[in-house]
Structure formats: C-alpha cells, structure tokens
Amino acid sequence: MIAREVRECGPAAAAELAERLLAGLGDRWRHTRAVAARARELSVTVPAEDRDLVVTAAWLHDAGYAPPIAVTGFHPLDGARHLARLGWPDRVCALVAHHSGARLVAGALGLGEELDAYPCEEGPVADAVTYADQTVDSRGERVAVERRMADMLARHGPDSPNARVHHLRAPLLLAVAERVEGRLR
C-alpha cells in the first residue's frame, strides 16, 4: 500500500508542492533543490522500492519553513502536520517530522509529544534523507557534515535549541554519515 501511495504522491508531486511553498524563500529553496538532488544520488543506498520515498521526503523536508504553514515555528513538525492535512502518506510525513535529529530539538522546544504523533523511522531510508540534508548547506552548496553543523550553529546562535542539544545531535548525525558512506562503498 505504501509503495502505491508514494507513486501517487511521489517526487514530481513533492517537487511541485515544495516549489509552491518555498520558491520565494531564496536560500531555503536553493537548499531544498540541492537536498532533493543529493537524495536522488543517495537513493542507491536504500531498497529499490523506497528510492522514490527518499527523494519525495527530501523535496518536502523543509516545507514547514513556508510562512503560511509555520505554526509552531519548528519546521519539521509544521511541515509534517501540513503534509498530513494534505493527505500525503504517513511515512513521508514521519520522515519529514524526524529528519536530521529533529526529535532532540523538539525536546528542547517542549514539542516532543507533538512530534511523537509521527513514528520515528530508523534505517537506510531515514539515514539517506538526513544525510542529504546534512551534506548541503543553507545556500545549496554541497558540504561535509561537520561544516553543515558549524553553519547551523552559526546561523541559529549559541542559545538556540539546536545549540542546546548539539552535544546529543552531533554524534547522531555523524553516525548517520558513517552508515550512509558505508552503504555507498
């Protein structure tokens, strides 16, 4: 059932929705397009039936930054909620909700229970989406995970929720990188 739903709400539809939501946001749109392209490359690290899912989730991972749907100000949750309202498959919504260690930041924001409405997938698919996001900087350039984390900390500041959980999130993101790079080899 999921594979059929993903084809109906697959990469082309995700790209179209992402463009409608994010095209006016400059660097955010450049980042999103580059993450989707990176996800397409990384899709070889997941089972064939999940490759479109990786690219779909990558297109939509930052949808929650779109001003009309930014309700909580926490983009993974806002994006997942919006996608669920539009009828996107549960698995896409969950991958958006939990990308790039979002559960740790949600905890720092007091939004952990809300994020828990979406199951946290672990494995090659979630890893590929996170690695795609963490190897493209905020301007859409390909970077190493360490540089991406430094960029994020500089943009969000030392008192941000991201900074407060960095000691937990960094090892998680580096472990994802190691697993994906291993699968690529």
Side-chain angles (χ1 to χ4, degrees), residues 141-173:
E141 300 296 323
R142 187 153 321 166
V143 295
V145 172
E146 295 83 359
R147 184 165 164 213
R148 172 76 162 128
M149 288 188 291
D151 172 61
M152 175 273 306
L153 289 171
R155 283 182 299 109
H156 292 281
D159 297 323
S160 69
N162 284 305
R164 291 196 308 269
V165 299
H166 184 67
H167 67 287
L168 301 171
R169 193 168 169 240
L172 180 142
L173 297 176

Side-chain angles (χ1 to χ4, degrees), residues 49-155:
E49 63 271 14
D50 288 332
R51 290 180 181 161
D52 279 353
L53 176 62
V54 168
V55 178
T56 297
W59 272 115
L60 299 170
H61 82 285
D62 277 353
Y65 279 114
I69 63 173
V71 175
T72 68
F74 184 51
H75 78 277
L77 179 59
D78 290 337
R81 284 177 169 171
H82 182 70
L83 296 170
R85 281 191 301 273
L86 294 177
W88 284 80
D90 292 344
R91 199 166 171 206
V92 171
C93 299
L95 287 165
V96 168
H98 288 283
H99 77 274
S100 296
R103 72 180 188 276
L104 298 169
V105 181
L109 290 168
L111 295 171
E113 284 187 30
E114 287 89 340
L115 199 69
D116 286 345
Y118 303 92
C120 184
E121 180 172 334
E122 294 182 5
V125 171
D127 283 355
V129 173
T130 289
Y131 188 75
D133 182 35
Q134 294 302 310
T135 54
V136 174
D137 73 9
S138 61
R139 294 166 306 282
E141 300 296 323
R142 187 153 321 166
V143 295
V145 172
E146 295 83 359
R147 184 165 164 213
R148 172 76 162 128
M149 288 188 291
D151 172 61
M152 175 273 306
L153 289 171
R155 283 182 299 109

